[in-house]
Amino acid sequence: MTVNLRFSSFTLQLLFASIILLLFAAACDTADEQAGVAYTIPEQPEMPTGFNPKPGWATSEFAVAAANPLATDAGYQIIQAGGSAVDAAIAVQMVLTLVEPQSSGIGGGAFLLAWDGSLVHAYNGRETAPSGADENHFLDESGDPIPFRDAVRSGLSAGVPGTVAMLKHAHERQGVLPWADLFTPAITLAEEGFRVSPRLHGLLEGEEALRHDPIGSRFYYDEDGEARPVGHNLRNPALAEIYRQIAQRGIAAFYTGAVAEDIVARIRAHERPGNMTVEDINNYPDQDFDVDAMCNDWRAYRICGFPPPSSGHIAIMQMLGIMEHLDAPETGFENGTPTAEWLHQYLEAAKLAFADRNQYVADPNFVEAPAGDWQSLLNPDYLRERAMLIGKNSMGSADPGNPEDVLSMFGMMQSQPDKGTSHVSIVDRDGNAVSMTTTIESGFGNRIMSDGGTGLEGGFLLNNELTDLSLRPYDDDGNPIANRVEPNKRPRSSMSPTLIFDRETGDFLASVGSPGGAAIIHYTAKAIVGMYDWGLNAQEAIDIPNFANFNGPSVLEQEMFPAEIIEALRAMGHQIDERALTSGLQAIQVTEDGFFGGADPRREGVVIGE
Ligand code: GLY
């Protein structure tokens, strides 16, 4: 079966209609040391490119929401051609690699949740550390961690890419159209070119290390070192060729032969080389991609998310669960923002959740869950105990708890910046739904590009996912960090792809998720609360000003909160840091008439459907 695809001109118009309002330099780190916790606020994911209001989109048959109009359109056309939600997600990912190279791609990893009408499938495409990596991976000759920034921009940070193998596995289970057809949009766009978007241009302009990569410097910049301008038609013949091979020969075309060899050669040629081997890449597809989704009840809803190595679902459900044990403020949301009283409770619950996250959560193949079950962190009795630590004033920062009174042998991981990433939500004509969060970690990953050994212009970026592992293997007392580097280990993630159901009927209600490093957890929680506590539609929920706490200062999206709220939080003892919080939420919710989708006004996403 061949898919007949057409590229709608409206997606291109949409791209040009968006204007960069502001370019902010990454905000300064704020360090906070309270209650023995050394704390650094995570850097912000990708620089903001303004807040462009979006209408929200009502559809009746199906809907696709992704971070770029061309990628969204590819998913739309795949469903129009008879494809399933998983088929559409694969097409979207292949186009995202091309048009949103700063956030995700075939050089990275992804978590995919897929609802088939009766079951939630969870497919784990997280990158792995090379087999030769050990806990000294990021340490210098003196045994100290190398500077974080240097670690990111190196061959050391690259994990073995997982996205392509995971998507193939998902396709074998829930795909409808032939695998090869799902590459048609991306191959066409890679061959014919796509217009550089304002966001991609702005990010390229602000980027330094990619200018030093042998491929990236030629591909994304002109001879004078100027970033390809907005509207420039960028062709990527190397990626088109790689895609043709994967489409025709399957994933062996990525995990063996020229592509695998080129990835390893480029990682090893970097001035800070990594030790990934071709065999590491050859072996990746042999693993088990199926994991059990974690599903938990909250009010009238059943919320399903990804288990460890993601910390996302556990942290979101801890925060929501802890708040259930507090006296709810009379008003949680008014005049477009949460109230100070509600924010106080949320931000305190966040401190408790992040303390547990930093202590316990890591790759379950290496680290045992507290009391042998990750659900111990969500046990209502434990959450009630944790909620009792929240008073009228800020606690400063929180210590981790002891679910089921089991003492942890692990040390607490210090905060490390993590950023980048993209989210895709899809519902197809049969009501099957996807929530996929996908990443190469930092903006433009580790800034190493591979042309897959094609010798053609362009290619794809490699990830720096291993800097989601702790650079430091032990804490100051010599306790091992659960999320330290070990061979073949998957880094802890904050990615929180989420599917929401009616708790009584089991009916599917919504798909939601976001990029944004550790703040993904807060963005996703905000959207869930907005839709299902405050009764907002998906777009209104996404639009709510962002707020976060990573177990230290409370972070509020700059220029979005009224002074009275900030003053009220300060009066409760919160240290307030106002800064850009560039979420990239995408959500699709079921309505009486079909679906309503929202895309984040802080990025370029749209929803397309019928
Ligand atoms: N690299 C982003 C995450 O996995 O949370």
Side-chain angles (χ1 to χ4, degrees), residues 126 418-419 421 439 441 465 468 492-495 517 520:
R126 190 67 163 165
D418 56 345
K419 17 190 200 170
T421 310
T439 186
E441 216 305 278
E465 220 66 57
D468 273 359
R492 185 191 67 197
S493 173
S494 303
M495 294 194 291
I520 288 172

Side-chain angles (χ1 to χ4, degrees), residues 81-156:
S84 66
V86 164
D87 288 334
I90 295 166
V92 168
Q93 177 65 82
M94 297 310 151
V95 176
L96 284 174
T97 307
L98 180 72
V99 302
E100 202 202 25
Q102 68 271 21
S103 298
S104 76
I106 60 171
F111 296 141
L112 192 159
L113 285 183
W115 165 246
D116 67 5
S118 55
L119 272 181
V120 175
H121 302 263
Y123 302 121
N124 181 1
R126 190 67 163 165
E127 302 91 330
T128 52
S131 53
D134 62 22
E135 62 187 33
N136 302 319
H137 196 71
F138 289 114
L139 304 184
D140 64 18
E141 308 75 46
S142 322
D144 296 320
I146 59 174
F148 187 78
R149 195 182 155 82
D150 295 346
V152 168
R153 293 158 177 78
S154 79
L156 285 173

